[in-house]
Amino acid sequence: MEHTDRAGRIAWFQEARFGMFIHWGLYSIPARGEWVRSWERISNEDYQPFFEEFNPSDYDPKAWARAAREAGMRYAVFTAKHHDGFCLFDSKLTDYKSTNTPAGRDLVREYLEAFRAEGLKVGLYFSIIDWHHPDFPHYGDRQHPERDNEAFRGVRHDFDNYLRYMHGQVEELVTGYGRIDLMWFDFSYDHMTGETWRATDLVRMIRRHQPHMIMDNRLEVSGEGFGSLLSGQPKEYAGDYVSPEQIIPPEGVLDINGKPVPWEACVTMNNHWGYTERDKFFKPAPMLIRKLVECVSKGGNLLLNVGPDARGMIPEQSLDILRQIGRWMKRNGESIYGCSPAGMDKPDFGRITRRGKTLYYHVFDNPIGYLPLSGLKPEQVESIRLLSSGAQMKIEKDWITNNYPDHVFTSFGPNPVLPDETDTVVAVRLKD
Ligand code: GLC
């Protein structure tokens, strides 16, 4: 049965918790980030050589999908079109598309087929901004590559024509590519928000074709602001979740009535979304594992980005990080999937996630002696297990713990080094 209400639609997303963001396109050739056109004020003409050259002969979406699944990711979001307006799909509404480059391939279709085959939910990133289209505002726009080019001062743009194009492309994607689970729109700013995009019409069209599809909140905002999802009276185009970017919300996200709002933190592995040759500042896998735990412990998802290069290869550093995360997820994914905040104070040593009657204590710092399972009373505990092996852990009671009768203590044994120094997970099943 298709869930078409917001709570029903979002259920798989909050089960999945961990996804792969993929930023790929012509900007992978200059290799200075996906905003290179804006940052360097590159004209369409000066950007055209990258279109003529684009031929990612090593593109192997099946390998990408395996890497995502083996990392423990349960969904992915792939750039169908970024702000530069280049379409990685065979749009009938433009010639500015991957099938017209030397690649000659519908890269979106291949991504969708490969990731579905690996059992992942599939999402598309679609930029509502388009710096290539002649009817998107140029001069005076906040970030268009020609924003301060006097040659474009006073040029008239038929924005309605642009909206017909943009809506038409979204309709191509939601009618021509099978089931899409998620649409990641990007992004609104200043007066370019909501009905300026004819957002209600856009969402209604999408719902007609794919009523189950979830959307982010960027028909209203960008990574700045949350939009009307927090207002208690969300607009029709508010989306299904909010999309904090390059940050994990300090306390999670609640609406005006204190009700938790679904959210997904999107985070780069280095400091760029699109492939950037000189950006080798990759976050260590242990750090990213703990950030995934932090997101889930606060009721959110982590959408972790890879930026494939001009040849279609995910950088080796990213693949290595994914492999390390996958090794941890293989043993401890139960403490992530379908988990949520525990409703308890954060312990000194780490974090807590919860699924039903099971609490997952994520231990980042080994305690001196016994581990205090904060927030629990002895009579509540059914069992304690080391999640990674299923081994029993006992409640410890002796002269050391007698000063703290209202606390539950357990022990990892005599070794002062944690079984997993990144995050050792203790699963505590509560009595009914
Ligand atoms: C920002 C950037 C865009 C990137 C997105 C990912 O909106 O403009 O380049 O794709 O963040 O969250």
Side-chain angles (χ1 to χ4, degrees):
M1 195 271 276
E2 286 296 19
H3 292 292
T4 54
D5 62 301
R6 184 169 278 127
R9 279 199 302 267
I10 205 78
W12 72 261
F13 181 75
Q14 295 190 302
E15 171 70 28
R17 287 302 187 206
F18 188 29
M20 177 183 273
F21 215 169
I22 305 167
H23 276 75
W24 192 41
L26 297 184
Y27 45 78
S28 303
I29 299 176
R32 299 191 295 277
E34 74 292 345
W35 270 63
V36 67
R37 274 211 61 190
S38 177
W39 289 329
E40 300 180 15
R41 290 172 168 71
I42 300 174
S43 67
N44 280 346
E45 295 69 31
D46 291 345
Y47 199 66
Q48 188 60 16
F50 303 130
F51 178 91
E52 308 297 346
E53 175 185 331
F54 189 63
N55 188 12
S57 50
D58 292 304
Y59 176 49
D60 179 0
K62 291 181 181 144
W64 293 9
R66 277 194 304 278
R69 181 178 52 76
E70 288 168 5
M73 293 163 158
R74 290 285 173 86
Y75 68 105
V77 180
F78 178 86
T79 47
K81 184 177 86 167
H82 207 268
H83 308 331
D84 63 0
F86 175 67
C87 301
L88 284 80
F89 64 103
D90 187 16
S91 169
K92 299 296 176 280
L93 302 180
T94 181
D95 293 333
Y96 201 53
K97 56 188 178 179
S98 58
T99 42
N100 284 1
T101 67
R105 296 159 75 173
D106 187 322
L107 305 170
V108 163
R109 189 176 301 283
E110 291 186 46
Y111 148 77
L112 291 168
E113 289 167 357
F115 278 68
R116 285 187 193 118
E118 281 293 332
L120 279 82
K121 293 281 191 182
V122 289
L124 292 177
Y125 167 109
F126 185 85
S127 174
I128 51 183
I129 293 168
D130 189 318
W131 295 330
H132 182 269
H133 197 282
D135 285 324
F136 192 88
H138 291 42
Y139 188 82
D141 176 74
R142 190 203 278 197
Q143 56 244 346
H144 194 287
E146 307 293 1
R147 57 191 176 278
D148 47 20
N149 181 341
E150 289 301 322
F152 286 90
R153 180 192 285 271
V155 169
R156 283 191 46 70
H157 303 282
D158 179 350
F159 194 63
D160 284 336
N161 182 49
Y162 168 68
L163 289 181
R164 281 190 294 277
Y165 172 76
M166 188 263 275
H167 285 228
Q169 287 198 317
V170 172
E171 188 149 33
E172 287 184 303
L173 290 169
V174 299
T175 57
Y177 288 84
R179 182 186 179 95
I180 311 287
D181 300 295
L182 186 159
M183 187 66 81
W184 216 100
F185 287 115
D186 193 37
F187 64 90
S188 294
Y189 57 100
D190 303 340
H191 70 285
M192 304 290 271
T193 174
E195 288 311 322
T196 301
W197 305 114
R198 283 203 293 108
T200 301
D201 291 347
L202 186 63
V203 169
R204 286 179 181 172
M205 178 270 289
I206 291 170
R207 295 265 177 260
R208 278 199 307 278
H209 295 297
Q210 307 233 12
H212 63 279
M213 181 191 275
I214 63 172
M215 288 173 248
D216 68 342
N217 61 334
R218 295 196 179 190
L219 289 176
E220 271 196 299
V221 291
S222 59
E224 181 179 3
F226 289 117
S228 60
L229 261 183
L230 271 60
S231 68
Q233 294 171 312
K235 291 186 173 68
E236 202 166 334
Y237 50 75
D240 299 286
Y241 66 92
V242 298
S243 56
E245 176 178 332
Q246 303 287 41
I247 189 170
I248 296 174
E251 280 92 34
V253 182
L254 302 177
D255 72 11
I256 196 168
N257 302 315
K259 186 167 173 285
V261 173
W263 58 272
E264 170 197 74
C266 52
V267 175
T268 53
M269 280 196 188
N270 52 11
N271 294 304
H272 289 83
W273 301 102
Y275 182 73
T276 303
E277 184 59 42
R278 294 182 181 178
D279 182 352
K280 305 300 184 194
F281 303 105
F282 288 85
K283 300 170 183 72
M287 172 188 175
L288 291 167
I289 289 167
R290 292 183 177 186
K291 297 310 163 192
L292 172 59
V293 171
E294 180 177 355
C295 286
V296 177
S297 75
K298 293 175 178 176
N301 285 29
L302 176 63
L303 186 63
L304 184 59
N305 184 73
V306 295
D309 63 23
R311 294 179 46 181
M313 308 279 278
I314 293 176
E316 195 49 46
Q317 299 92 330
S318 296
L319 291 174
D320 183 49
I321 288 166
L322 290 172
R323 282 189 288 268
Q324 292 181 63
I325 294 174
R327 281 196 291 274
W328 184 87
M329 285 294 281
K330 194 171 179 63
R331 289 278 176 183
N332 301 285
E334 178 188 318
S335 68
I336 297 293
Y337 301 127
C339 290
S340 295
M344 303 154 75
D345 291 341
K346 176 190 175 306
D348 294 343
F349 54 69
R351 296 188 180 276
I352 310 172
T353 57
R354 177 173 194 150
R355 182 169 189 150
K357 302 295 279 182
T358 302
L359 293 168
Y360 299 96
Y361 285 79
H362 297 263
V363 186
F364 300 162
D365 302 311
N366 207 351
I368 295 294
Y370 299 137
L371 179 75
L373 295 175
S374 51
L376 281 186
K377 294 196 179 311
E379 60 272 18
Q380 291 177 280
V381 178
E382 176 74 35
S383 68
I384 305 174
R385 296 288 181 269
L386 181 64
L387 183 61
S388 60
S389 66
Q392 180 190 27
M393 293 176 70
K394 292 184 177 175
I395 290 180
E396 302 290 348
K397 284 176 69 66
D398 62 23
W399 63 274
I400 294 175
T401 68
N402 284 342
N403 287 345
Y404 316 99
D406 289 343
H407 280 65
V408 176
F409 292 87
T410 189
S411 170
F412 293 112
N415 188 339
V417 177
L418 281 170
D420 183 324
E421 290 194 279
T422 295
D423 176 9
T424 298
V425 184
V426 178
V428 179
R429 177 139 185 87
L430 302 177
K431 287 177 178 165
D432 290 333

